[in-house]
Amino acid sequence: MAYTEGSKLWGGRFVGDTDPIMEKFNASITYDQRMWDADIRGSKAYVKALEKAKLVSTEEMAQILQGMDQISEEWSKGVFLIKPEDEDIHTANERRLKELVGAPAGKLHTGRSRNDQVVTDMRLWLRDAVAILTNNSLQLISTMVERAAIEIDVLFPGYTHMQRAQPIRWSHWILSYAVALSRDVERLLEIKKRANILPLGSGAIAGTPFDIDRELLRTELGFDGISLNSMDATGQRDFVAEFLFWASLCLTHLSKMAEDLMLYSTKEYSFVTLSDAYSTGSSLMPQKKNADSLELIRSKAGRVFGRCAGFMMTLKGLPSTYNKDLQEDKEAMFDCYDTVHAVLQVTTGVMSTLKINQSVMEAALSPDMLATDLAYYLVRKGVPFREAHGLSGKAVFTAESKNLSLNQLTEADLAAVSPLFGSDVSSVWDYRSSVEQYGAFGGTAKSSVSAQVEHLRNWLKTQSQ
């Protein structure tokens, strides 16, 4: 069925009906309806500005506000009836308002365009979404920090290039991701500041010809500032692009962490065991316990990357101000929010329930991981590091040639490499002593890791204030 153009917000110019296929192609109500609350808040603020400008009477304002409250209640209860001619959330709410209050509803759009209306809705919606994602992120970080504090004495191999590198604390690994996530929170709050600018009152492109008090609008809607240029306000989507990039970077961190945990949970490593609550089985192989939670976290990063890249491709070819292409902004924003929201909650569940296998972790430490310590031993005896590095490498080669582990070399073997190796070299072959030497700020010594825990605890307190 086609709908006459007179039923649309833009219908006066057109004659005849829109092709039903075009109706469906053009509509956004299926997804932008989730901005119903933001749209109502914007309209309630706008009618107050209209009343102050004497464009609606006080009585008409009261009718519109009452109607908007009823529409809000209908949405809240899930009984709002979307009709086929409702092109978008703005059309749906205004259509329903007219059903409720009659002629005054026709004045609500005075001086307002869907161009400034939709971007206002989006900024309001994203502001609320950012608050939720911030809380999700803080919960995850807190879970990780407290786990790091409890398991601070557990050692295990640190890896570079997927090869065993040096002994580190398990807590040091946990906190490496907690720190990355703390930066994600700070970036998200920066995005919120830039998103929290009022565009309403910009009209379609040129601004408003009426005496609309934009400061009143800013105060009513809780924005931090007012847009400086009406063309920029209605046509730019920097805040959406920033949010999509933020989601991509946040999920990059979580994908990397998930990849580590997947490896650590395999039989080949057996460092950690995932809770059954975050694992699944095989339809064929009864023995399987699959880390599906981690695999999905990893895969969702690709989904978000695609949204970000796709939207940037949409933006890069647009001329100035509003173009219908920008309708793509909402699905990308909603999908990235939904994805990150779910990933943060699942990751918190994984990190709060997984079990570590401390004996296996520490058994995986091997003397070759102390080759750097052997070089440091020589450095402490005055040998330049580059020379000490080469001598330690010769010791490693000697051990490999004799099919021995590095700590099985005799004093004579080491003395043949350098006369500076003495009987006290045996002190090198202690993993806890190795870890404890990294006491500088940011290192993996217990004192340093404890300092990281306290730093992040204090940071978390500042975020909750």
Side-chain angles (χ1 to χ4, degrees), residues 174-231:
I174 295 175
L175 294 176
S176 71
Y177 285 107
V179 169
L181 289 167
S182 73
R183 290 195 303 273
D184 289 331
V185 169
E186 290 168 353
R187 268 187 289 267
L188 186 58
L189 295 177
E190 286 293 320
I191 291 170
K192 181 180 179 181
K193 289 179 184 178
R194 286 187 286 276
N196 203 31
I197 302 297
L198 173 78
L200 192 58
S202 297
I205 178 172
T208 177
F210 302 109
D211 189 20
I212 299 297
D213 186 345
R214 298 191 72 201
E215 179 59 28
L216 181 152
L217 292 173
R218 184 197 70 77
T219 303
E220 285 286 329
L221 294 171
F223 283 103
D224 293 331
I226 299 173
S227 59
L228 184 62
N229 180 286
S230 60
M231 293 176 68

Side-chain angles (χ1 to χ4, degrees), residues 34 125 243-244 247 300 303-304 307 329-341:
R34 66 191 294 176
W125 187 92
F243 175 68
L244 301 185
K300 296 298 183 184
R303 178 190 184 109
V304 170
R307 284 294 193 183
D329 55 8
K330 286 167 282 298
E331 285 186 288
M333 183 177 73
F334 296 152
D335 187 46
C336 284
Y337 165 78
D338 291 340
T339 302
V340 179
H341 182 47

